[in-house]
Amino acid sequence: MAKEGAGMTEETEYMIDRHVGKDADCSADSPHDAKEMRAVILSGFGGLNKLRVSRKPMPEPQEGEVKIRVKACGLNFLDLMVRQGTIENPPKPPLVPGFECSGIVESVGENTKGFEIGDRVMAFVNYNAWAEVVCTPAEFVHKMPDRMTFAEAAAFALNFVTAYMMLFEVANLREGMSVLVHSAGGGVGQAVAQLCSTVPNVTVFGVASCFKHAAIRDSVTHLFDRNADYIQEVKRISPEGVDVLLDSLCGENTGKGLSLLKPLGTYILYGASNMVTGETKSFFSFAKSWWQVEKVNPIKLYEENKVIAGFSLLNLLFKQGRCGLVRSVMDKLLCLYDQKKIKPVVDSLWALEEVAEAIH
């Protein structure tokens, strides 16, 4: 994907920068464009043929909301689960996918404080991010650092907040501990590796597909093939196991992960990508993943001094109302970014109309 997208990256970056500050002029010139916008529409759950770019009415900010002219939106593995309908309680299609974006504040609703027209921002969005314009409550919007690009901002929020909260809020990562992360080549995996490097003497075991190893080898301490017997390799290096295990796969990896934990170790499930095995939703993959999950015995956890936890940033934000905690985490992350200790990894850039190719 990086190789195929490299040719268009420079052109797409130029497209993003060329339109900065000009959107208000464009919308004023065309009454039609002022009322409508382009957006990616998911007409039904399934394959790539369910996605299309079309025009739809442009939203206007309600009280407490910010209207953002989108410059870039993030594409994460979570979006593949939305397309297939394997995510928990998705809205009924047709819908506009996407949970994060960056852009420029175009207007604000009544009683909205903290933002002005022209501010460069990044935002969490409860769907609807894959569009030219989004409206979202101000508590989900964050100002971008001056040197951060729109592409970086669209790849920052979900990945780094998820990684930070799992490591420091749930697992209490400290000096000298060890972390094993599945999908080490993904957005969260790379954020985990960078954040672990901010703590002295943390050992990072990464598990990823072989074709990603060349690109991510320098970001982790030890790297293993997800299709090999990584359990024995980890135990050979660290016979006691690991302090923290971050699992985005679920299925049979749950039992393996618990067996690798040291006493007082923490296993955190933050995804279930084993349920996504093809272009469309597979009941067999879903059932297999569910069946392979080891049934957790609380007495065994008690006897072995182990902790098992789950983490969903979207639920924390949009269902459980913890945006204040997330904002404090974002402030810490932006300080680390300003200190050049972390930096989002952007694989490639694609135009809105190339959404199918980007997902593929």
Side-chain angles (χ1 to χ4, degrees):
M1 179 174 169
K3 191 178 294 182
E4 294 176 2
M8 71 185 72
T9 298
E10 184 176 343
E11 178 184 353
T12 311
E13 286 179 333
Y14 170 72
M15 289 164 55
I16 292 173
D17 294 336
R18 180 166 57 93
H19 288 90
V20 172
K22 297 183 180 180
D23 295 288
D25 296 335
C26 293
S27 60
D29 292 339
S30 172
H32 177 74
D33 289 343
K35 297 178 181 179
E36 291 189 337
M37 65 175 183
R38 291 181 307 144
V40 175
I41 307 295
L42 180 66
S43 60
F45 300 123
L48 295 173
N49 62 332
K50 300 293 185 180
L51 290 163
R52 71 181 190 279
V53 174
S54 62
R55 304 194 73 86
K56 63 173 296 183
M58 184 181 298
E60 293 299 330
Q62 304 300 308
E63 183 174 358
E65 288 189 339
V66 177
K67 180 180 180 181
I68 302 169
R69 175 67 60 166
V70 176
K71 298 301 176 186
C73 42
L75 169 56
N76 301 291
F77 191 87
L78 193 62
D79 299 303
L80 274 66
M81 298 183 70
V82 171
R83 194 200 76 217
Q84 293 190 358
T86 53
I87 195 171
E88 178 190 6
N89 298 322
K92 185 178 179 181
L95 61 91
V96 177
F99 297 103
E100 62 180 338
C101 65
S102 63
I104 296 175
V105 175
E106 195 165 88
S107 64
V108 296
E110 291 185 12
N111 300 319
T112 302
K113 298 179 181 179
F115 297 96
E116 297 179 353
I117 294 173
D119 283 347
R120 299 168 73 248
V121 296
M122 50 186 163
F124 297 103
V125 189
N126 194 10
Y127 293 92
N128 298 308
W130 292 2
E132 289 183 307
V133 174
V134 301
C135 291
T136 191
E139 56 261 35
F140 302 140
V141 183
H142 305 266
K143 291 183 180 178
M144 292 167 49
D146 291 339
R147 67 183 185 87
M148 182 180 281
T149 67
F150 287 112
E152 287 180 334
F156 187 83
L158 274 179
N159 293 323
F160 275 92
V161 171
T162 297
Y164 187 98
M165 296 193 77
M166 288 193 299
L167 289 173
F168 299 106
E169 299 289 338
V170 181
N172 193 23
L173 182 68
R174 301 181 303 281
E175 180 178 353
M177 293 177 72
S178 56
V179 177
L180 185 145
V181 56
H182 283 284
S183 301
V188 173
Q190 286 295 282
V192 165
Q194 290 186 37
L195 288 169
C196 285
S197 71
T198 67
V199 181
N201 302 319
V202 170
T203 302
V204 180
F205 298 91
V207 181
S209 300
C210 268
F211 71 91
K212 298 181 181 179
H213 284 199
I216 66 174
R217 189 175 302 279
D218 294 337
S219 66
V220 297
T221 316
H222 305 283
L223 187 58
F224 307 106
D225 178 11
R226 65 170 292 181
N227 296 314
D229 186 6
Y230 63 87
I231 299 293
Q232 294 306 315
E233 289 297 309
V234 172
K235 287 184 175 180
R236 181 179 61 81
I237 298 169
S238 178
E240 284 190 325
V242 298
D243 296 294
V244 182
L245 193 142
L246 307 176
D247 182 9
S248 61
L249 304 178
C250 199
E252 62 179 341
N253 293 280
T254 302
K256 292 180 179 179
L258 287 171
S259 72
L260 269 180
L261 284 184
K262 292 180 180 179
L264 302 182
T266 303
Y267 164 94
I268 306 173
L269 180 69
Y270 70 99
S273 62
N274 276 342
M275 295 183 185
V276 181
T277 56
E279 186 176 318
T280 58
K281 183 177 181 179
S282 168
F283 177 77
F284 174 76
S285 297
F286 184 88
K288 180 182 177 183
S289 183
W290 179 86
W291 181 257
Q292 287 178 332
V293 174
E294 181 174 309
K295 304 305 180 282
V296 178
N297 183 342
I299 299 299
K300 190 176 181 181
L301 293 176
Y302 153 72
E303 291 173 345
E304 297 181 353
N305 283 305
K306 294 181 178 180
V307 179
I308 185 168
F311 184 80
S312 167
L313 178 57
L314 295 182
N315 285 344
L316 197 70
L317 277 169
F318 302 124
K319 293 183 179 180
Q320 297 164 343
R322 300 304 298 273
C323 51
L325 175 60
V326 172
R327 182 167 293 279
S328 69
V329 168
M330 276 289 285
D331 290 341
K332 295 173 186 176
L333 287 168
L334 292 176
C335 284
L336 291 173
Y337 178 86
D338 287 335
Q339 295 167 10
K340 299 184 179 181
K341 293 183 177 180
I342 60 174
K343 182 180 176 66
V345 179
V346 178
D347 175 77
S348 53
L349 299 173
W350 303 77
L352 204 62
E353 284 76 13
E354 296 167 325
V355 60
E357 292 92 331
I359 290 178
H360 181 72

